[in-house]
Each structure stands twice: as structure tokens, then as C-alpha cells.
Amino acid sequence: MRLGIFVGCLVLVAVLVNVGWVPAGLGDANFAWVVLLALVISAPLSFVLLRKQRDEMSAQISGRVAGAKERLAANRSQEDIADDAARANP
């Protein structure tokens, strides 16, 4: 989705440069100027427009991390029980 927003901004900036509403850059730097300007415009747009998807992904990741921590704690407690049992019966 972020790539789509960037491509849309790239096309928009290229059109605005060709129409003459946005400066075309210096010498041969026209393409670099267009890409840089598209990046600068697409970054805040992506931040605002993709907020819902970013929040959903964050919730999924935090759920996975919590599950991994629970499994790790369960494994540690099993190891502790086995270790205590081995020490109790020499």
C-alpha cells in the first residue's frame, strides 16, 4: 500500500513538473528531484492514510510476542521442576 501511495505521488509530481507548476530541478537532476519530492510527499500521506493497517499489524505482532513469552515461561518452569526433582533425588 505504501508503494502504491509513492507511485501515485511520483506520477502526480511528474505531471506537475511537466506542466511547469513545480520547478524541474537543476540540469540533469530532474528525475532525482521528482523522486525526492514524491518521497517527501508520500511519507506523511502514508503515515496518515495507513494508520489503521499499522495499528492492526502492531496488535498482531504484540499478540505473537506475548504468546512466545508465555511459551518460554512454560518451558522454563518445566526445566525448573525437572531440575528440582533431579536435585531432590540424588
Side-chain angles (χ1 to χ4, degrees), residues 17-39:
V17 166
N18 286 334
V19 171
W21 289 0
V22 176
L26 298 173
D28 294 335
N30 187 23
F31 181 71
W33 167 255
V34 170
V35 170
L36 181 64
L37 193 55
L39 280 170

Side-chain angles (χ1 to χ4, degrees), residues 69-84:
K69 285 182 179 180
E70 289 174 3
R71 287 190 302 275
L72 183 62
N75 287 341
R76 284 184 182 160
S77 66
Q78 288 176 355
E79 290 175 2
D80 289 343
I81 291 171
D83 186 48
D84 291 343

Side-chain angles (χ1 to χ4, degrees), residues 7-90:
V7 170
C9 289
L10 184 65
V11 169
L12 178 67
V13 170
V15 168
L16 292 176
V17 166
N18 286 334
V19 171
W21 289 0
V22 176
L26 298 173
D28 294 335
N30 187 23
F31 181 71
W33 167 255
V34 170
V35 170
L36 181 64
L37 193 55
L39 280 170
V40 168
I41 293 171
S42 70
L45 284 175
S46 295
F47 185 75
V48 172
L49 296 175
L50 301 177
R51 181 180 314 240
K52 181 180 175 185
Q53 289 82 1
R54 188 175 53 252
D55 291 342
E56 289 173 0
M57 184 63 69
S58 174
Q60 287 177 357
I61 291 172
S62 65
R64 289 179 187 167
V65 168
K69 285 182 179 180
E70 289 174 3
R71 287 190 302 275
L72 183 62
N75 287 341
R76 284 184 182 160
S77 66
Q78 288 176 355
E79 290 175 2
D80 289 343
I81 291 171
D83 186 48
D84 291 343
R87 290 175 192 248
N89 298 324

